[in-house]
Coordinates of all heavy atoms in Angstrom, one line a residue:
K277 N 101.4 -38.4 2.5 CA 100.5 -39.1 1.5 C 100.2 -40.5 2.1 O 101.0 -41.2 2.7 CB 101.2 -39.2 0.2 CG 100.3 -39.9 -0.9 CD 101.0 -39.9 -2.2 CE 100.1 -40.5 -3.3 NZ 99.7 -41.8 -3.1
D278 N 98.9 -40.9 2.0 CA 98.4 -42.2 2.5 C 98.3 -42.2 4.1 O 98.0 -43.3 4.6 CB 99.2 -43.4 2.0 CG 99.1 -43.5 0.5 OD1 98.0 -43.1 0.0 OD2 100.1 -43.8 -0.2
G279 N 98.7 -41.1 4.7 CA 98.6 -41.1 6.2 C 97.1 -41.0 6.6 O 96.3 -40.3 6.0
R280 N 96.8 -41.5 7.8 CA 95.4 -41.4 8.3 C 95.4 -40.5 9.5 O 96.3 -40.7 10.4 CB 94.9 -42.8 8.7 CG 93.5 -42.8 9.3 CD 93.2 -44.2 9.8 NE 92.5 -45.0 8.8 CZ 92.3 -46.3 8.9 NH1 92.8 -47.0 10.0 NH2 91.7 -47.0 8.0
Y281 N 94.4 -39.6 9.6 CA 94.4 -38.6 10.6 C 93.0 -38.3 11.1 O 92.0 -38.5 10.3 CB 95.0 -37.3 10.1 CG 96.4 -37.4 9.6 CD1 96.7 -37.7 8.2 CD2 97.6 -37.3 10.4 CE1 97.9 -37.8 7.7 CE2 98.8 -37.5 9.9 CZ 99.0 -37.7 8.6 OH 100.3 -37.9 8.1
L282 N 92.9 -37.9 12.3 CA 91.7 -37.3 12.9 C 91.8 -35.8 12.7 O 92.8 -35.2 13.2 CB 91.5 -37.7 14.3 CG 90.4 -37.0 15.1 CD1 89.0 -37.5 14.5 CD2 90.5 -37.3 16.6
F283 N 90.9 -35.1 12.0 CA 91.0 -33.7 11.7 C 89.9 -33.0 12.5 O 88.8 -33.4 12.5 CB 90.8 -33.4 10.2 CG 91.9 -33.9 9.3 CD1 91.7 -35.1 8.7 CD2 93.1 -33.2 9.2 CE1 92.7 -35.6 7.8 CE2 94.1 -33.7 8.4 CZ 93.9 -34.9 7.7
I284 N 90.3 -31.9 13.2 CA 89.4 -31.1 14.0 C 89.7 -29.6 13.6 O 90.7 -29.1 13.8 CB 89.7 -31.2 15.5 CG1 89.7 -32.7 16.0 CG2 88.7 -30.4 16.3 CD1 90.2 -32.9 17.4
G285 N 88.7 -29.0 13.0 CA 88.9 -27.7 12.5 C 87.6 -27.0 12.1 O 86.5 -27.5 12.3
A286 N 87.7 -25.8 11.5 CA 86.6 -25.0 11.1 C 86.6 -24.9 9.6 O 87.7 -24.9 9.0 CB 86.6 -23.6 11.7
F287 N 85.4 -24.8 9.0 CA 85.3 -24.6 7.6 C 86.0 -23.3 7.2 O 86.0 -22.3 7.9 CB 83.9 -24.6 7.1 CG 83.1 -25.9 7.3 CD1 82.1 -26.0 8.2 CD2 83.5 -27.0 6.6 CE1 81.4 -27.2 8.3 CE2 82.9 -28.2 6.7 CZ 81.8 -28.3 7.6
G288 N 86.7 -23.4 6.0 CA 87.3 -22.2 5.4 C 86.2 -21.2 5.2 O 85.0 -21.4 5.1
N289 N 86.7 -19.9 5.0 CA 85.7 -18.8 4.8 C 86.1 -17.9 3.7 O 87.3 -17.6 3.6 CB 85.7 -18.1 6.1 CG 84.5 -17.1 6.2 OD1 84.5 -16.1 5.4 ND2 83.6 -17.3 7.1
N290 N 85.2 -17.6 2.8 CA 85.5 -16.7 1.7 C 85.2 -15.3 2.0 O 85.1 -14.4 1.1 CB 84.8 -17.1 0.4 CG 83.3 -17.1 0.6 OD1 82.8 -16.6 1.5 ND2 82.6 -17.7 -0.4
G291 N 85.0 -15.0 3.3 CA 84.6 -13.6 3.8 C 83.1 -13.4 3.7 O 82.6 -12.4 4.1
F292 N 82.4 -14.4 3.1 CA 80.9 -14.2 2.9 C 80.2 -15.3 3.6 O 79.2 -15.1 4.3 CB 80.7 -14.2 1.4 CG 79.2 -14.0 1.1 CD1 78.6 -12.8 1.4 CD2 78.5 -15.0 0.4 CE1 77.2 -12.6 1.0 CE2 77.2 -14.8 0.0 CZ 76.6 -13.6 0.4
R293 N 80.7 -16.6 3.4 CA 80.0 -17.7 4.0 C 81.0 -18.9 4.1 O 82.0 -18.9 3.4 CB 78.8 -18.1 3.2 CG 79.1 -18.5 1.8 CD 77.8 -18.6 1.0 NE 76.9 -19.5 1.5 CZ 75.7 -19.8 1.0 NH1 75.3 -19.1 0.0 NH2 74.9 -20.7 1.5
P294 N 80.8 -19.8 5.0 CA 81.8 -21.0 5.1 C 81.8 -21.8 3.8 O 80.8 -21.9 3.1 CB 81.2 -21.8 6.2 CG 80.3 -20.9 7.0 CD 79.7 -19.9 6.0
E295 N 82.9 -22.3 3.5 CA 83.1 -23.2 2.3 C 83.1 -24.6 2.8 O 84.1 -25.0 3.5 CB 84.4 -22.8 1.6 CG 84.4 -21.4 1.0 CD 85.7 -21.0 0.4 OE1 86.7 -21.4 0.9 OE2 85.7 -20.4 -0.7
L296 N 82.1 -25.3 2.6 CA 81.9 -26.6 3.2 C 82.8 -27.7 2.6 O 82.7 -28.9 3.0 CB 80.4 -27.1 3.1 CG 79.4 -26.1 3.8 CD1 78.0 -26.7 3.7 CD2 79.8 -25.8 5.2
F297 N 83.6 -27.4 1.6 CA 84.6 -28.4 1.1 C 86.0 -28.2 1.6 O 86.9 -28.9 1.2 CB 84.6 -28.2 -0.5 CG 85.0 -26.9 -1.0 CD1 86.3 -26.5 -1.1 CD2 84.0 -25.9 -1.2 CE1 86.7 -25.3 -1.5 CE2 84.4 -24.6 -1.6 CZ 85.7 -24.3 -1.8
R298 N 86.2 -27.1 2.4 CA 87.6 -26.8 2.8 C 87.6 -26.6 4.3 O 86.8 -25.8 4.9 CB 88.0 -25.5 2.1 CG 89.4 -25.0 2.5 CD 89.9 -23.9 1.6 NE 89.1 -22.7 1.6 CZ 89.4 -21.7 2.4 NH1 90.4 -21.7 3.1 NH2 88.6 -20.6 2.4
L299 N 88.4 -27.4 5.0 CA 88.6 -27.4 6.4 C 89.9 -26.8 6.8 O 90.9 -27.2 6.3 CB 88.4 -28.8 7.0 CG 88.2 -28.8 8.5 CD1 86.8 -28.3 8.8 CD2 88.4 -30.2 9.1
H300 N 89.9 -25.8 7.7 CA 91.1 -25.2 8.2 C 91.4 -25.7 9.6 O 90.6 -25.6 10.5 CB 91.0 -23.7 8.2 CG 92.3 -22.9 8.3 ND1 92.4 -21.6 8.1 CD2 93.5 -23.4 8.5 CE1 93.6 -21.2 8.2 NE2 94.4 -22.3 8.4
V301 N 92.6 -26.3 9.7 CA 93.0 -26.9 11.0 C 94.3 -26.3 11.4 O 95.1 -25.8 10.6 CB 93.1 -28.4 11.0 CG1 91.7 -29.0 10.6 CG2 94.2 -28.9 10.0
F302 N 94.6 -26.4 12.7 CA 95.9 -25.8 13.2 C 96.6 -27.0 13.9 O 96.1 -27.7 14.7 CB 95.6 -24.8 14.3 CG 95.0 -23.5 13.7 CD1 93.6 -23.4 13.8 CD2 95.7 -22.6 13.1 CE1 93.0 -22.3 13.3 CE2 95.1 -21.4 12.6 CZ 93.7 -21.3 12.6
I303 N 97.9 -27.2 13.4 CA 98.7 -28.2 14.0 C 99.2 -27.8 15.4 O 99.3 -28.6 16.3 CB 99.9 -28.5 13.1 CG1 99.4 -29.1 11.7 CG2 100.9 -29.4 13.7 CD1 100.5 -29.3 10.7
E304 N 99.4 -26.5 15.6 CA 99.7 -25.9 16.9 C 98.7 -24.8 17.1 O 98.0 -24.3 16.2 CB 101.1 -25.4 16.9 CG 102.2 -26.5 16.8 CD 103.6 -26.1 17.2 OE1 103.7 -25.1 17.9 OE2 104.5 -26.7 16.8
P305 N 98.5 -24.3 18.4 CA 97.6 -23.3 18.7 C 97.7 -22.1 17.8 O 98.9 -21.7 17.5 CB 97.9 -23.0 20.2 CG 98.5 -24.2 20.7 CD 99.3 -24.8 19.6

Side-chain angles (χ1 to χ4, degrees):
K277 185 177 183 300
D278 298 325
R280 176 188 271 168
Y281 304 91
L282 174 66
F283 294 99
I284 306 170
F287 293 116
N289 191 298
N290 60 10
F292 182 63
R293 59 193 303 177
E295 298 174 321
L296 302 185
F297 58 85
R298 179 167 63 96
L299 195 72
H300 197 170
V301 302
F302 296 95
I303 295 175
E304 294 193 22

